[in-house]
Amino acid sequence: MRSSCSMFLKKYKSLRMNGRFAQLLVLSVFIGMVPTPALQAAQECLSATGEAAVTACRRDLLRDPDNLDTRFALADAFMSLKRYQDAVATLREGVERFPGDERIKKKLVLAESYLEEQRWIEKQQQRARAASSAKKQDTQVRLSIIRCKKLSKDAAMAACNQGLAVAPNNPELLTGRGDAWLEMGRIGNAILDYESALAADSRNRDAAKSLRLAHTKRKVKAAQCLQGEGED
């Protein structure tokens, strides 16, 4: 009877101990399944894409700057966003930390090639925009010259000024505005524009001819003024 009781007590204690061990085991597994902030950042870095990956990888790299996997993931995230300059900076820092690592050197060469290609494309686009702008500007100036010469008085003056706002030293526009001034009786202003046109292009025959005409008209008016004749 006593031996039976002893065996029962031993089994009971054994069951109790096994139960505690199971609880501790389950608890330890559960704790292992719950990611720490560092592990969570690393997982986000490797699984996220775009800006989310950049944010997660940067955070993880600040915590562990020597983690090459994180650095590669950050560089890949930058390159996916075509932020090649940031990718190059990230990899160059990695080369400084690991000068003997061939993987990061190859990755850096690739990123630098993408950056060079991107800069070349941007330069071509800038040239195309500049050429388009210059062509548009030239068209505007040509239209202003036509109106400046064909119209008269105030309308001609407005067209000439519009063109001169874009091309302030254009001899044709200066000559045309001089003609508009002369037509309006503003001989002094006309002479100034003709002289400016000749300063921009000394071979401008229209400006030279109009300047001689303006000086002649000034002399006539001066003579009329001395004799007390004319409106002036």
Short mmCIF file of all heavy atoms in Angstrom, two decimals, residues 170-230:
data_model
loop_
_atom_site.label_atom_id
_atom_site.label_comp_id
_atom_site.label_asym_id
_atom_site.label_seq_id
_atom_site.Cartn_x
_atom_site.Cartn_y
_atom_site.Cartn_z
N ASN A 170 18.56 93.44 -81.28
CA ASN A 170 18.27 93.07 -82.65
C ASN A 170 18.23 94.33 -83.53
O ASN A 170 17.38 95.20 -83.31
CB ASN A 170 16.93 92.33 -82.72
CG ASN A 170 16.64 91.80 -84.11
OD1 ASN A 170 16.28 92.55 -85.00
ND2 ASN A 170 16.80 90.49 -84.27
N PRO A 171 19.11 94.44 -84.52
CA PRO A 171 19.17 95.67 -85.33
C PRO A 171 17.91 95.93 -86.15
O PRO A 171 17.54 97.10 -86.37
CB PRO A 171 20.39 95.44 -86.23
CG PRO A 171 20.59 93.96 -86.24
CD PRO A 171 20.13 93.46 -84.92
N GLU A 172 17.25 94.87 -86.62
CA GLU A 172 16.02 95.07 -87.41
C GLU A 172 14.90 95.65 -86.54
O GLU A 172 14.16 96.53 -86.99
CB GLU A 172 15.58 93.74 -88.01
CG GLU A 172 16.51 93.20 -89.08
CD GLU A 172 16.00 91.91 -89.69
OE1 GLU A 172 15.18 92.00 -90.63
OE2 GLU A 172 16.40 90.83 -89.21
N LEU A 173 14.79 95.16 -85.32
CA LEU A 173 13.76 95.68 -84.42
C LEU A 173 14.07 97.11 -83.99
O LEU A 173 13.16 97.95 -83.90
CB LEU A 173 13.65 94.78 -83.18
CG LEU A 173 13.03 93.41 -83.40
CD1 LEU A 173 13.22 92.52 -82.18
CD2 LEU A 173 11.53 93.55 -83.72
N LEU A 174 15.35 97.39 -83.75
CA LEU A 174 15.73 98.77 -83.38
C LEU A 174 15.47 99.74 -84.53
O LEU A 174 14.98 100.86 -84.31
CB LEU A 174 17.22 98.80 -82.99
CG LEU A 174 17.55 98.14 -81.65
CD1 LEU A 174 19.05 97.94 -81.51
CD2 LEU A 174 17.01 98.97 -80.49
N THR A 175 15.76 99.30 -85.75
CA THR A 175 15.49 100.14 -86.93
C THR A 175 13.99 100.35 -87.10
O THR A 175 13.53 101.47 -87.39
CB THR A 175 16.08 99.50 -88.19
OG1 THR A 175 17.49 99.30 -88.02
CG2 THR A 175 15.85 100.39 -89.41
N GLY A 176 13.24 99.25 -86.93
CA GLY A 176 11.78 99.36 -87.06
C GLY A 176 11.18 100.28 -86.01
O GLY A 176 10.27 101.07 -86.31
N ARG A 177 11.68 100.22 -84.79
CA ARG A 177 11.15 101.12 -83.76
C ARG A 177 11.57 102.57 -84.04
O ARG A 177 10.80 103.50 -83.80
CB ARG A 177 11.63 100.70 -82.38
CG ARG A 177 10.93 101.45 -81.26
CD ARG A 177 11.24 100.88 -79.90
NE ARG A 177 12.64 101.14 -79.51
CZ ARG A 177 13.14 100.81 -78.32
NH1 ARG A 177 12.36 100.20 -77.42
NH2 ARG A 177 14.40 101.06 -78.03
N GLY A 178 12.79 102.71 -84.59
CA GLY A 178 13.22 104.05 -84.99
C GLY A 178 12.28 104.63 -86.04
O GLY A 178 11.92 105.82 -85.99
N ASP A 179 11.87 103.80 -86.99
CA ASP A 179 10.92 104.26 -88.03
C ASP A 179 9.59 104.66 -87.40
O ASP A 179 8.96 105.65 -87.83
CB ASP A 179 10.70 103.15 -89.05
CG ASP A 179 11.94 102.86 -89.89
OD1 ASP A 179 12.84 103.72 -89.92
OD2 ASP A 179 12.01 101.77 -90.49
N ALA A 180 9.15 103.87 -86.39
CA ALA A 180 7.88 104.20 -85.71
C ALA A 180 8.01 105.53 -84.98
O ALA A 180 7.09 106.37 -85.02
CB ALA A 180 7.51 103.09 -84.74
N TRP A 181 9.16 105.75 -84.30
CA TRP A 181 9.38 107.03 -83.62
C TRP A 181 9.37 108.19 -84.65
O TRP A 181 8.78 109.25 -84.39
CB TRP A 181 10.75 107.03 -82.91
CG TRP A 181 10.85 106.27 -81.63
CD1 TRP A 181 11.75 105.30 -81.34
CD2 TRP A 181 10.06 106.45 -80.46
NE1 TRP A 181 11.57 104.83 -80.06
CE2 TRP A 181 10.53 105.54 -79.49
CE3 TRP A 181 8.99 107.29 -80.14
CZ2 TRP A 181 9.99 105.44 -78.22
CZ3 TRP A 181 8.45 107.19 -78.87
CH2 TRP A 181 8.94 106.27 -77.92
N LEU A 182 10.03 107.96 -85.77
CA LEU A 182 10.12 109.01 -86.79
C LEU A 182 8.75 109.35 -87.35
O LEU A 182 8.42 110.52 -87.57
CB LEU A 182 11.05 108.55 -87.91
CG LEU A 182 11.58 109.63 -88.85
CD1 LEU A 182 12.43 110.64 -88.09
CD2 LEU A 182 12.41 109.01 -89.97
N GLU A 183 7.95 108.31 -87.54
CA GLU A 183 6.59 108.51 -88.06
C GLU A 183 5.74 109.29 -87.06
O GLU A 183 4.85 110.07 -87.45
CB GLU A 183 5.94 107.16 -88.34
CG GLU A 183 4.58 107.26 -89.02
CD GLU A 183 3.96 105.89 -89.27
OE1 GLU A 183 4.51 104.88 -88.79
OE2 GLU A 183 2.91 105.83 -89.94
N MET A 184 6.03 109.13 -85.79
CA MET A 184 5.28 109.81 -84.74
C MET A 184 5.87 111.19 -84.42
O MET A 184 5.41 111.89 -83.52
CB MET A 184 5.26 108.94 -83.48
CG MET A 184 4.52 107.62 -83.68
SD MET A 184 4.84 106.41 -82.36
CE MET A 184 4.02 107.16 -80.98
N GLY A 185 6.92 111.58 -85.15
CA GLY A 185 7.52 112.90 -84.96
C GLY A 185 8.51 112.96 -83.82
O GLY A 185 8.97 114.05 -83.45
N ARG A 186 8.92 111.80 -83.26
CA ARG A 186 9.88 111.77 -82.15
C ARG A 186 11.27 111.52 -82.73
O ARG A 186 11.83 110.43 -82.66
CB ARG A 186 9.49 110.68 -81.16
CG ARG A 186 8.06 110.82 -80.62
CD ARG A 186 7.98 111.91 -79.56
NE ARG A 186 8.72 111.51 -78.38
CZ ARG A 186 8.23 110.76 -77.41
NH1 ARG A 186 6.97 110.33 -77.49
NH2 ARG A 186 8.96 110.46 -76.36
N ILE A 187 11.83 112.58 -83.35
CA ILE A 187 13.07 112.43 -84.10
C ILE A 187 14.24 112.04 -83.20
O ILE A 187 15.07 111.20 -83.56
CB ILE A 187 13.40 113.74 -84.86
CG1 ILE A 187 12.26 114.05 -85.86
CG2 ILE A 187 14.73 113.62 -85.60
CD1 ILE A 187 12.43 115.39 -86.56
N GLY A 188 14.34 112.62 -82.03
CA GLY A 188 15.43 112.32 -81.11
C GLY A 188 15.45 110.84 -80.72
O GLY A 188 16.50 110.19 -80.73
N ASN A 189 14.28 110.31 -80.39
CA ASN A 189 14.18 108.89 -80.05
C ASN A 189 14.54 108.00 -81.25
O ASN A 189 15.16 106.95 -81.10
CB ASN A 189 12.76 108.55 -79.58
CG ASN A 189 12.46 109.14 -78.21
OD1 ASN A 189 13.23 109.94 -77.70
ND2 ASN A 189 11.36 108.73 -77.61
N ALA A 190 14.10 108.43 -82.43
CA ALA A 190 14.40 107.66 -83.64
C ALA A 190 15.90 107.59 -83.86
O ALA A 190 16.45 106.52 -84.17
CB ALA A 190 13.71 108.30 -84.83
N ILE A 191 16.59 108.74 -83.72
CA ILE A 191 18.04 108.78 -83.92
C ILE A 191 18.75 107.83 -82.95
O ILE A 191 19.68 107.11 -83.33
CB ILE A 191 18.56 110.23 -83.77
CG1 ILE A 191 18.10 111.07 -84.98
CG2 ILE A 191 20.08 110.25 -83.64
CD1 ILE A 191 18.42 112.54 -84.88
N LEU A 192 18.32 107.81 -81.68
CA LEU A 192 18.93 106.92 -80.69
C LEU A 192 18.79 105.45 -81.09
O LEU A 192 19.74 104.67 -80.96
CB LEU A 192 18.29 107.15 -79.32
CG LEU A 192 18.63 108.48 -78.63
CD1 LEU A 192 17.84 108.61 -77.33
CD2 LEU A 192 20.13 108.58 -78.34
N ASP A 193 17.61 105.08 -81.60
CA ASP A 193 17.40 103.68 -82.01
C ASP A 193 18.21 103.34 -83.26
O ASP A 193 18.77 102.24 -83.36
CB ASP A 193 15.91 103.42 -82.26
CG ASP A 193 15.16 103.03 -80.99
OD1 ASP A 193 15.83 102.65 -80.00
OD2 ASP A 193 13.93 103.09 -80.98
N TYR A 194 18.31 104.26 -84.20
CA TYR A 194 19.10 104.00 -85.40
C TYR A 194 20.58 103.82 -85.03
O TYR A 194 21.26 102.94 -85.57
CB TYR A 194 18.95 105.14 -86.41
CG TYR A 194 17.56 105.28 -86.99
CD1 TYR A 194 17.02 106.54 -87.26
CD2 TYR A 194 16.80 104.16 -87.29
CE1 TYR A 194 15.75 106.68 -87.81
CE2 TYR A 194 15.53 104.29 -87.83
CZ TYR A 194 15.00 105.55 -88.07
OH TYR A 194 13.74 105.69 -88.62
N GLU A 195 21.05 104.64 -84.12
CA GLU A 195 22.46 104.55 -83.70
C GLU A 195 22.71 103.21 -82.97
O GLU A 195 23.76 102.59 -83.14
CB GLU A 195 22.81 105.73 -82.79
CG GLU A 195 22.91 107.05 -83.57
CD GLU A 195 23.17 108.24 -82.67
OE1 GLU A 195 22.98 108.08 -81.43
OE2 GLU A 195 23.54 109.31 -83.17
N SER A 196 21.73 102.79 -82.16
CA SER A 196 21.85 101.49 -81.47
C SER A 196 21.86 100.35 -82.47
O SER A 196 22.59 99.36 -82.31
CB SER A 196 20.70 101.32 -80.48
OG SER A 196 20.77 102.29 -79.45
N ALA A 197 21.03 100.48 -83.53
CA ALA A 197 20.98 99.44 -84.56
C ALA A 197 22.32 99.34 -85.29
O ALA A 197 22.81 98.23 -85.56
CB ALA A 197 19.86 99.73 -85.55
N LEU A 198 22.94 100.48 -85.57
CA LEU A 198 24.24 100.48 -86.25
C LEU A 198 25.35 99.97 -85.32
O LEU A 198 26.32 99.37 -85.79
CB LEU A 198 24.56 101.89 -86.74
CG LEU A 198 23.75 102.34 -87.97
CD1 LEU A 198 23.96 103.83 -88.24
CD2 LEU A 198 24.15 101.53 -89.20
N ALA A 199 25.21 100.22 -84.02
CA ALA A 199 26.19 99.70 -83.07
C ALA A 199 26.14 98.17 -83.02
O ALA A 199 27.16 97.50 -82.87
CB ALA A 199 25.94 100.28 -81.68
N ALA A 200 24.93 97.63 -83.19
CA ALA A 200 24.76 96.17 -83.20
C ALA A 200 25.18 95.57 -84.53
O ALA A 200 25.68 94.44 -84.59
CB ALA A 200 23.31 95.81 -82.89
N ASP A 201 24.97 96.34 -85.62
CA ASP A 201 25.33 95.86 -86.97
C ASP A 201 25.70 97.07 -87.81
O ASP A 201 24.82 97.77 -88.34
CB ASP A 201 24.16 95.10 -87.59
CG ASP A 201 24.48 94.60 -89.00
OD1 ASP A 201 25.67 94.65 -89.39
OD2 ASP A 201 23.55 94.14 -89.69
N SER A 202 26.99 97.32 -87.94
CA SER A 202 27.46 98.52 -88.65
C SER A 202 27.14 98.48 -90.14
O SER A 202 27.20 99.51 -90.82
CB SER A 202 28.97 98.67 -88.45
OG SER A 202 29.66 97.52 -88.94
N ARG A 203 26.81 97.30 -90.67
CA ARG A 203 26.50 97.18 -92.10
C ARG A 203 25.00 97.24 -92.39
O ARG A 203 24.58 96.97 -93.51
CB ARG A 203 27.07 95.87 -92.64
CG ARG A 203 28.59 95.81 -92.60
CD ARG A 203 29.12 94.47 -93.04
NE ARG A 203 28.71 93.41 -92.13
CZ ARG A 203 29.03 92.12 -92.29
NH1 ARG A 203 29.74 91.75 -93.35
NH2 ARG A 203 28.63 91.22 -91.42
N ASN A 204 24.23 97.62 -91.40
CA ASN A 204 22.77 97.70 -91.56
C ASN A 204 22.43 98.94 -92.40
O ASN A 204 22.44 100.07 -91.91
CB ASN A 204 22.09 97.79 -90.19
CG ASN A 204 20.59 97.63 -90.28
OD1 ASN A 204 19.94 98.16 -91.19
ND2 ASN A 204 20.02 96.91 -89.32
N ARG A 205 22.16 98.71 -93.68
CA ARG A 205 21.92 99.83 -94.61
C ARG A 205 20.63 100.57 -94.28
O ARG A 205 20.56 101.81 -94.42
CB ARG A 205 21.86 99.30 -96.04
CG ARG A 205 23.20 98.75 -96.53
CD ARG A 205 23.08 98.27 -97.97
NE ARG A 205 24.37 97.77 -98.46
CZ ARG A 205 24.55 97.29 -99.68
NH1 ARG A 205 23.51 97.24 -100.54
NH2 ARG A 205 25.75 96.85 -100.06
N ASP A 206 19.60 99.84 -93.87
CA ASP A 206 18.32 100.49 -93.55
C ASP A 206 18.49 101.46 -92.39
O ASP A 206 17.96 102.58 -92.42
CB ASP A 206 17.27 99.44 -93.18
CG ASP A 206 16.85 98.61 -94.39
OD1 ASP A 206 17.04 99.08 -95.53
OD2 ASP A 206 16.34 97.49 -94.18
N ALA A 207 19.25 101.04 -91.36
CA ALA A 207 19.46 101.91 -90.21
C ALA A 207 20.28 103.14 -90.61
O ALA A 207 19.98 104.26 -90.18
CB ALA A 207 20.17 101.13 -89.09
N ALA A 208 21.31 102.93 -91.43
CA ALA A 208 22.16 104.05 -91.87
C ALA A 208 21.34 105.04 -92.70
O ALA A 208 21.45 106.27 -92.52
CB ALA A 208 23.34 103.54 -92.68
N LYS A 209 20.52 104.53 -93.62
CA LYS A 209 19.68 105.38 -94.46
C LYS A 209 18.67 106.16 -93.62
O LYS A 209 18.47 107.37 -93.81
CB LYS A 209 18.95 104.53 -95.50
CG LYS A 209 18.07 105.29 -96.44
CD LYS A 209 17.40 104.35 -97.43
CE LYS A 209 16.46 105.10 -98.35
NZ LYS A 209 15.78 104.18 -99.31
N SER A 210 18.02 105.46 -92.68
CA SER A 210 17.02 106.11 -91.83
C SER A 210 17.66 107.13 -90.91
O SER A 210 17.05 108.18 -90.59
CB SER A 210 16.27 105.06 -91.00
OG SER A 210 15.53 104.19 -91.83
N LEU A 211 18.90 106.86 -90.46
CA LEU A 211 19.59 107.81 -89.59
C LEU A 211 19.88 109.11 -90.35
O LEU A 211 19.69 110.22 -89.79
CB LEU A 211 20.90 107.19 -89.09
CG LEU A 211 21.73 108.07 -88.14
CD1 LEU A 211 20.93 108.43 -86.89
CD2 LEU A 211 23.02 107.36 -87.75
N ARG A 212 20.31 109.00 -91.61
CA ARG A 212 20.55 110.21 -92.41
C ARG A 212 19.26 110.98 -92.60
O ARG A 212 19.24 112.23 -92.50
CB ARG A 212 21.14 109.83 -93.77
CG ARG A 212 22.57 109.33 -93.71
CD ARG A 212 23.21 109.27 -95.09
NE ARG A 212 22.55 108.30 -95.95
CZ ARG A 212 22.89 107.01 -96.05
NH1 ARG A 212 23.91 106.55 -95.32
NH2 ARG A 212 22.25 106.21 -96.86
N LEU A 213 18.16 110.27 -92.84
CA LEU A 213 16.86 110.92 -93.02
C LEU A 213 16.45 111.63 -91.74
O LEU A 213 15.94 112.77 -91.78
CB LEU A 213 15.80 109.87 -93.41
CG LEU A 213 14.37 110.38 -93.55
CD1 LEU A 213 14.28 111.44 -94.65
CD2 LEU A 213 13.42 109.22 -93.84
N ALA A 214 16.67 110.98 -90.60
CA ALA A 214 16.29 111.58 -89.31
C ALA A 214 17.08 112.85 -89.04
O ALA A 214 16.54 113.86 -88.57
CB ALA A 214 16.50 110.57 -88.19
N HIS A 215 18.38 112.82 -89.34
CA HIS A 215 19.21 114.02 -89.14
C HIS A 215 18.76 115.15 -90.06
O HIS A 215 18.75 116.33 -89.66
CB HIS A 215 20.69 113.69 -89.40
CG HIS A 215 21.36 113.03 -88.23
ND1 HIS A 215 21.43 113.61 -86.98
CD2 HIS A 215 22.02 111.84 -88.13
CE1 HIS A 215 22.10 112.81 -86.15
NE2 HIS A 215 22.45 111.71 -86.83
N THR A 216 18.38 114.81 -91.29
CA THR A 216 17.89 115.82 -92.24
C THR A 216 16.61 116.46 -91.71
O THR A 216 16.45 117.70 -91.74
CB THR A 216 17.61 115.18 -93.61
OG1 THR A 216 18.83 114.63 -94.13
CG2 THR A 216 17.09 116.22 -94.59
N LYS A 217 15.70 115.62 -91.21
CA LYS A 217 14.44 116.14 -90.66
C LYS A 217 14.70 117.02 -89.44
O LYS A 217 14.02 118.03 -89.24
CB LYS A 217 13.52 114.99 -90.29
CG LYS A 217 12.87 114.31 -91.48
CD LYS A 217 11.73 113.41 -91.04
CE LYS A 217 10.98 112.87 -92.25
NZ LYS A 217 9.78 112.11 -91.90
N ARG A 218 15.68 116.63 -88.65
CA ARG A 218 16.01 117.45 -87.47
C ARG A 218 16.51 118.83 -87.91
O ARG A 218 16.15 119.86 -87.31
CB ARG A 218 17.04 116.74 -86.62
CG ARG A 218 17.58 117.60 -85.48
CD ARG A 218 18.57 116.86 -84.61
NE ARG A 218 17.88 116.16 -83.54
CZ ARG A 218 18.50 115.47 -82.59
NH1 ARG A 218 19.82 115.38 -82.61
NH2 ARG A 218 17.83 114.89 -81.63
N LYS A 219 17.35 118.86 -88.94
CA LYS A 219 17.87 120.13 -89.43
C LYS A 219 16.74 121.00 -89.97
O LYS A 219 16.72 122.23 -89.76
CB LYS A 219 18.91 119.90 -90.53
CG LYS A 219 20.22 119.31 -90.01
CD LYS A 219 21.18 119.04 -91.15
CE LYS A 219 22.47 118.42 -90.63
NZ LYS A 219 23.43 118.12 -91.74
N VAL A 220 15.81 120.37 -90.70
CA VAL A 220 14.68 121.12 -91.26
C VAL A 220 13.85 121.72 -90.13
O VAL A 220 13.46 122.89 -90.17
CB VAL A 220 13.82 120.21 -92.15
CG1 VAL A 220 12.51 120.91 -92.53
CG2 VAL A 220 14.59 119.82 -93.40
N LYS A 221 13.57 120.94 -89.11
CA LYS A 221 12.78 121.42 -87.98
C LYS A 221 13.49 122.53 -87.23
O LYS A 221 12.87 123.49 -86.77
CB LYS A 221 12.45 120.27 -87.03
CG LYS A 221 11.30 119.40 -87.50
CD LYS A 221 10.86 118.42 -86.41
CE LYS A 221 9.61 117.68 -86.86
NZ LYS A 221 8.43 118.56 -86.83
N ALA A 222 14.82 122.35 -87.09
CA ALA A 222 15.60 123.39 -86.41
C ALA A 222 15.52 124.71 -87.19
O ALA A 222 15.37 125.79 -86.60
CB ALA A 222 17.05 122.94 -86.27
N ALA A 223 15.62 124.59 -88.52
CA ALA A 223 15.55 125.81 -89.36
C ALA A 223 14.16 126.43 -89.25
O ALA A 223 14.02 127.68 -89.16
CB ALA A 223 15.86 125.46 -90.82
N GLN A 224 13.12 125.59 -89.28
CA GLN A 224 11.75 126.10 -89.16
C GLN A 224 11.54 126.79 -87.82
O GLN A 224 10.86 127.81 -87.71
CB GLN A 224 10.74 124.97 -89.33
CG GLN A 224 10.65 124.42 -90.73
CD GLN A 224 9.71 123.23 -90.83
OE1 GLN A 224 9.37 122.60 -89.82
NE2 GLN A 224 9.29 122.91 -92.06
N CYS A 225 12.15 126.20 -86.77
CA CYS A 225 12.01 126.76 -85.44
C CYS A 225 12.66 128.17 -85.37
O CYS A 225 12.10 129.09 -84.77
CB CYS A 225 12.66 125.83 -84.43
SG CYS A 225 12.47 126.34 -82.71
N LEU A 226 13.84 128.27 -85.99
CA LEU A 226 14.56 129.56 -85.98
C LEU A 226 13.79 130.63 -86.75
O LEU A 226 13.81 131.81 -86.41
CB LEU A 226 15.95 129.39 -86.58
CG LEU A 226 16.97 128.60 -85.70
CD1 LEU A 226 18.26 128.36 -86.48
CD2 LEU A 226 17.26 129.38 -84.42
N GLN A 227 13.06 130.19 -87.80
CA GLN A 227 12.30 131.13 -88.62
C GLN A 227 10.89 131.35 -88.10
O GLN A 227 10.12 132.10 -88.68
CB GLN A 227 12.26 130.63 -90.09
CG GLN A 227 13.63 130.60 -90.74
CD GLN A 227 13.59 129.97 -92.12
OE1 GLN A 227 12.52 129.69 -92.66
NE2 GLN A 227 14.77 129.75 -92.73
N GLY A 228 10.55 130.63 -87.05
CA GLY A 228 9.22 130.75 -86.47
C GLY A 228 8.16 130.07 -87.29
O GLY A 228 7.00 130.49 -87.28
N GLU A 229 8.55 129.05 -88.01
CA GLU A 229 7.60 128.33 -88.86
C GLU A 229 7.37 126.93 -88.30
O GLU A 229 8.13 126.40 -87.49
CB GLU A 229 8.16 128.22 -90.29
CG GLU A 229 8.40 129.54 -90.97
CD GLU A 229 9.04 129.39 -92.32
OE1 GLU A 229 9.34 128.22 -92.68
OE2 GLU A 229 9.24 130.39 -93.00
N GLY A 230 6.33 126.30 -88.80
CA GLY A 230 6.03 124.92 -88.43
C GLY A 230 5.32 124.82 -87.08
O GLY A 230 5.25 125.80 -86.31
#
